């Protein structure tokens, strides 16, 4: 017997976590770690290329704007059933493969709306111009960034602001604007009430005159500016003008690719 003092009791044992909880925690932690590693690696890659703090901010903001879309793509890829081998193709004489024909983009029927940035991959501006014409009436201002601006229908031909891209050498025989001057015009137009519709088909010229890195930075900034200020941007780029890695970097600047 004791001296009347209560016998100390050991604390209740913690309930063991179920196997389902362990699996969920492990999967969540692994995915969280993978996301952190991917984000830090991408930031280190940008920093190693000599980007300034302002340029890094533009790149990070553009990447953050696409997080929800990237997560949805990842989710769908995890939910899709695994691909099974087509055993029938091994047992039968294969039929001739028909050439693939892309469906007509629905944007050409509806036009773009505020917040959309669209990259049209084509050898020469055609579908992008058609999309531009379809979207003209949705915005109070239109900016055309081009070396050879397309012909617009009346009355938009008289009101659209044409920004001709000039050479980096400053050749007196070829007048035009630099990327920084064009960026200032785009900022002024998109910051105003109602935003603006921006059309660009001079990426290849910009890349040749002002280097590819400068041109990619300009496009990433322009798409972010348009998306964040109730505006829209349509760009026509020849897919053969870039290698796959640079083409992927360019496509990441847009929220729609045609």
């Amino acid at each position: 017997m004791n001296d009347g003092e209560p016998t100390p009791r050991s604390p209740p044992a913690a309930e063991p976590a179920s196997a389902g909880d362990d699996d969920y925690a492990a999967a969540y932690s692994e995915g969280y770690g993978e996301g952190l590693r991917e984000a830090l690696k991408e930031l280190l890659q940008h920093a190693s290329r000599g980007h300034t703090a302002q340029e890094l901010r533009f790149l990070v903001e553009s990447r953050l704007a696409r997080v929800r879309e990237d997560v949805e793509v990842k989710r769908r890829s995890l939910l899709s059933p695994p691909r099974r081998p087509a055993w029938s193709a091994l047992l039968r004489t294969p039929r001739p493969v028909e050439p693939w024909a892309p469906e007509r983009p629905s944007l050409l029927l509806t036009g773009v709306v505020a917040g959309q940035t669209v990259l049209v991959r084509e050898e020469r501006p055609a579908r992008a111009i058609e999309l531009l014409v379809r979207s003209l009436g949705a915005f109070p201002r239109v900016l055309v960034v081009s070396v050879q601006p397309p012909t617009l229908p009346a009355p938009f031909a008289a009101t659209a602001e044409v920004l001709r891209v000039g050479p980096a050498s400053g050749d007196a025989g070829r007048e035009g604007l630099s990327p920084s001057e064009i960026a200032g015009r785009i900022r002024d137009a998109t910051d105003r009430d109602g935003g603006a519709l921006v059309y660009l088909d001079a990426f290849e010229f910009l890349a040749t005159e002002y280097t590819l890195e400068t041109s990619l930075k300009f496009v990433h900034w322009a798409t972010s500016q348009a998306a964040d200020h109730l505006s829209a941007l349509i760009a026509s780029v020849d897919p053969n003008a870039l290698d796959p890695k640079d083409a992927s970097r360019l496509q990441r600047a847009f929220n729609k690719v045609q």
Side-chain angles (χ1 to χ4, degrees), residues 206-244:
L206 286 169
T208 301
E209 291 289 328
Y210 297 92
T211 75
L212 176 63
E213 290 299 324
T214 299
S215 303
L216 287 171
K217 294 174 187 176
F218 169 79
V219 170
H220 275 269
W221 173 86
T223 52
S224 297
Q225 176 72 15
D228 294 342
H229 292 78
L230 297 179
S231 300
L233 187 146
I234 302 169
S236 174
V237 176
D238 183 357
N240 300 317
L242 299 170
D243 61 37

Side-chain angles (χ1 to χ4, degrees), residues 19-233:
D21 292 339
D22 287 341
D23 293 342
Y24 173 79
Y28 182 89
S29 301
E30 183 63 26
Y32 182 75
E34 181 182 352
L36 286 178
R37 285 191 293 272
E38 181 180 350
L40 292 173
K41 285 180 180 179
E42 185 172 344
L43 184 59
L44 286 174
Q45 289 175 355
H46 290 314
S48 65
R49 297 190 181 103
H51 291 296
T52 65
Q54 181 74 357
E55 292 167 347
L56 285 174
R57 185 174 71 84
F58 286 152
L59 292 171
V60 171
E61 288 178 349
S62 176
R63 190 69 177 85
L64 287 174
R66 300 191 307 274
V67 167
R68 186 182 298 275
E69 181 180 349
D70 292 343
V71 171
E72 178 63 17
V73 171
K74 182 67 173 179
R75 185 186 72 85
R76 292 181 179 179
S77 68
L78 293 175
L79 293 177
S80 60
R83 303 182 65 179
R84 299 178 178 178
W87 300 111
S88 59
L90 301 177
L91 304 175
R92 304 175 185 174
T93 303
R95 294 178 297 176
V97 178
E98 298 180 357
W100 177 79
E103 296 181 358
R104 186 176 180 83
S106 59
L107 282 175
L108 294 181
L109 302 177
T110 61
V112 297
V113 298
Q116 286 186 333
T117 57
V118 184
L119 173 63
V120 182
R121 297 171 295 180
E122 53 189 355
E123 293 185 2
R124 298 186 64 83
R127 289 186 295 129
I129 296 176
E130 185 178 351
L131 179 57
L132 169 65
V133 173
R134 175 69 65 178
S135 310
L136 287 173
F139 298 87
R141 284 164 291 279
V142 178
L143 279 72
V144 176
V145 183
S146 178
V147 178
Q148 297 179 340
T151 301
L152 300 180
F156 301 102
T159 59
E161 183 178 2
V162 177
L163 307 178
R164 295 181 182 272
V165 183
S169 60
D171 186 355
R174 298 178 60 187
E175 298 180 355
L177 302 175
S178 67
S180 59
E181 292 172 321
I182 294 173
R185 300 283 189 89
I186 293 176
R187 181 185 291 109
D188 291 341
T190 54
D191 281 347
R192 295 166 63 185
D193 291 342
L197 174 60
V198 182
Y199 168 81
L200 168 69
D201 65 8
F203 178 81
E204 295 88 343
F205 181 82
L206 286 169
T208 301
E209 291 289 328
Y210 297 92
T211 75
L212 176 63
E213 290 299 324
T214 299
S215 303
L216 287 171
K217 294 174 187 176
F218 169 79
V219 170
H220 275 269
W221 173 86
T223 52
S224 297
Q225 176 72 15
D228 294 342
H229 292 78
L230 297 179
S231 300
L233 187 146

Side-chain angles (χ1 to χ4, degrees), residues 2-17:
N2 53 28
D3 297 333
E5 296 181 358
T7 303
R9 297 180 180 180
S10 59
E15 296 182 2

